Amino acid sequence: MNKSITILLLFLFIKTYSQETSNNMFDPSISLVFESNGITNYHFTDKIYNHLDVEFPYGMDYKLGLELYQKKCFLSFSLGWGMNYLSYSNSEVRRKNLINCYFVNAGYHYSINKKTFLCVKLGLNDFYRVVTKKYKSDQCIEQSDHQQNIYNIDLGIGIEYKLHKKIAIRFEPYINYTITNVSSLIFNENLIFSPAVGIKLGLKYTLTTF
């Protein structure tokens, strides 16, 4: 009797597990998506700013990409453009820096369930332009425009949750490391690029699925 009950319970467990697993699976497909993120970060070498009043760093990025769905996961490939703002001041002058970048990302997304994914992303960034404005008594007294390819590797591990069939919210801590020798470049300002840790929070919209 006990053996029969054990076999029955085992059968029910296997059946339930197989149903849950099949519910988490996706049909092979390709999706075109648009994504936008808000960004903030902290640089490990910000000690040079200790004598300055540094404002909260922030930025935005925008991506267009493809997602290749398989049964329990999907791969993502995206191209994008972003802006990062860093402002600091001393007793006399306030500096506002706008840092523009292009980037390419590749990612692996594993399905925890139908709505939740664990994401790992690797990216290459090119901080190609830095615009600095100097202010004194709220008036712009000088503007410099520096263009130089500064390459960074970006690694992020985050969570993606689907709010709707076409809309998802993303939370991604990341680390960024500069591979360009910035110290060999000529800057009017002492800007720090790397290493840095940060957080991205954003929305992703599925434009169409093939």
Side-chain angles (χ1 to χ4, degrees), residues 39-140:
I39 305 169
T40 186
N41 54 50
Y42 171 78
H43 293 267
F44 292 113
T45 48
D46 272 352
K47 292 181 180 179
I48 68 166
Y49 296 133
N50 285 347
H51 64 288
L52 301 172
D53 181 14
V54 181
E55 298 180 14
F56 186 75
Y58 65 95
M60 291 289 297
D61 68 29
Y62 307 92
K63 307 175 187 178
L64 189 65
L66 291 175
E67 296 180 344
L68 284 65
Y69 279 84
Q70 294 300 318
K71 291 182 178 180
K72 287 278 292 179
C73 66
F74 68 87
L75 301 176
S76 64
F77 304 93
S78 60
L79 298 172
W81 172 76
M83 300 175 293
N84 295 274
Y85 296 89
L86 175 63
S87 299
Y88 55 92
S89 59
N90 55 25
S91 58
E92 296 181 357
V93 178
R94 179 171 178 247
R95 292 169 173 83
K96 296 179 67 176
N97 300 287
L98 169 61
I99 305 169
N100 296 275
C101 71
Y102 293 121
F103 56 85
V104 56
N105 283 337
Y108 175 80
H109 308 249
Y110 180 78
S111 171
I112 299 174
N113 55 49
K114 267 288 189 179
K115 291 189 175 182
T116 310
F117 293 85
L118 179 64
C119 314
V120 178
K121 283 193 173 182
L122 181 65
L124 177 66
N125 302 333
D126 176 12
F127 293 107
Y128 69 95
R129 184 185 181 197
V130 178
V131 179
T132 300
K133 292 183 179 181
K134 295 182 181 180
Y135 290 84
K136 193 170 185 178
S137 301
D138 294 329
Q139 292 185 349
C140 183

Side-chain angles (χ1 to χ4, degrees), residues 26-40:
F26 300 89
D27 294 327
S29 61
I30 300 175
S31 293
L32 178 66
V33 299
F34 174 79
E35 183 180 326
S36 178
N37 294 287
I39 305 169
T40 186

